Amino acid sequence: GDSVTQMEGPVTLSEEAFLTINCTYTATGYPSLFWYVQYPGEGLQLLLKATKADDKGSNKGFEATYRKETTSFHLEKGSVQVSDSAVYFCALTHTSGTYKYIFGTGTRLKVLA
Amino acid sequence: NAGVTQTPKFRILKIGQSMTLQCAQDMNHNYMYWYRQDPGMGLKLIYYSVGAGITDKGEVPNGYNVSRSTTEDFPLRLELAAPSQTSVYFCASSGERTGGETQYFGPGTRLLVL
C-alpha cells in the first residue's frame, strides 16, 4: 500500500541555519504531495503542496520539489527562525479512486535563538 | 468563516464511560475525517465521510462510531472508553475530490482515559 517516510526528529537548528527535512513516498501512479505544519497546541495546517512531477511548492520561505524519479518531496528553507519551531508532516493523496490521505509520522523542528 | 471547530478542547474520562466529540465545518465541504494522533506518532484515520448519510471506516475504527446527518456536522462517539483511546483527536474536512485537495483541520480534542 501507499506510505510516506520522514526523517526522524527532533531536528535542532540555530536561527538562520539551513533546513532540510527528508520525505520519500511509495505510491502507485501520480499522487499529490503535501507538507503540513503543526504549531504547539494547534491542528495541522497546509504549508505547501505539489500536484505533479517537477512541480515546486513554496510558502513562507519553505520549498519542496516533487521528484518522481527519486519518489521524494524534501522540505527546505534557507534561513529558519525561532517561529518555525513546529512539527512538520509530509502527506500524499491520490487524484482519483480514494478519499484518503496518508501522513508521515512527523518531524519536530526546534530552532534556537 | 470559522473553518473547522471541535469541542471540547480537553476531557478526562473514566474507563467504561462514553462521550461524543463534536466537529463542525462551515465551508460546505463534502468530505470529513476523524484522525487520532498518539504521542510522537503520525495521524491515523478513524472514520471518514464523503457526504451526509455516508460514512466508512479508516485504519483504526474499533471502539468508535460516527454519524453524518448534515453536511456541517460529523460527531465521533466513543463507547466504553479504554486507556488505549487516550490521544489527541483531530477532525478535518476537504472540498471536492480532485487532485491536490487541501485538508482543513480543527484545533483538536485532547482525551485522557483513566
Side-chain angles (χ1 to χ4, degrees), chain A residues 92-110:
Chain A
L92 69 81
T93 188
H94 281 282
T95 56
S96 65
T98 179
Y99 309 97
K100 299 179 185 178
Y101 294 71
I102 306 297
F103 287 86
T105 54
T107 302
R108 182 175 299 277
L109 170 66
K110 185 173 183 180

Side-chain angles (χ1 to χ4, degrees), chain B residues 67-107:
Chain B
S67 60
R68 183 105 181 265
S69 57
T70 67
T71 298
E72 294 78 20
D73 300 299
F74 190 41
L76 177 71
R77 177 84 178 159
L78 276 72
E79 304 283 1
L80 299 174
S84 61
Q85 293 178 303
T86 293
S87 190
V88 180
Y89 292 84
F90 290 103
C91 180
S93 72
S94 63
E96 293 301 317
R97 189 191 64 172
T98 58
E101 192 61 42
T102 300
Q103 284 201 322
Y104 295 85
F105 284 80

Side-chain angles (χ1 to χ4, degrees), chain A residues 32 34 36 38 41-46 49-51 87 89 93-106 108, chain B residues 31 33 35 37 40-43 45 48 50 57-59 88 90 94 97-108 110:
Chain A
S32 295
F34 305 79
Y36 283 83
Q38 183 181 29
E42 299 183 9
L44 281 71
Q45 54 187 276
L46 179 70
K49 66 181 183 183
T51 59
V87 181
F89 291 89
T93 188
H94 281 282
T95 56
S96 65
T98 179
Y99 309 97
K100 299 179 185 178
Y101 294 71
I102 306 297
F103 287 86
T105 54
R108 182 175 299 277
Chain B
Y31 307 103
Y33 308 81
Y35 295 92
Q37 183 183 31
M41 305 292 286
L43 280 73
L45 182 64
Y48 67 100
V50 303
K57 297 177 181 178
E59 299 173 78
V88 180
F90 290 103
S94 63
R97 189 191 64 172
T98 58
E101 192 61 42
T102 300
Q103 284 201 322
Y104 295 85
F105 284 80
R110 185 175 299 275

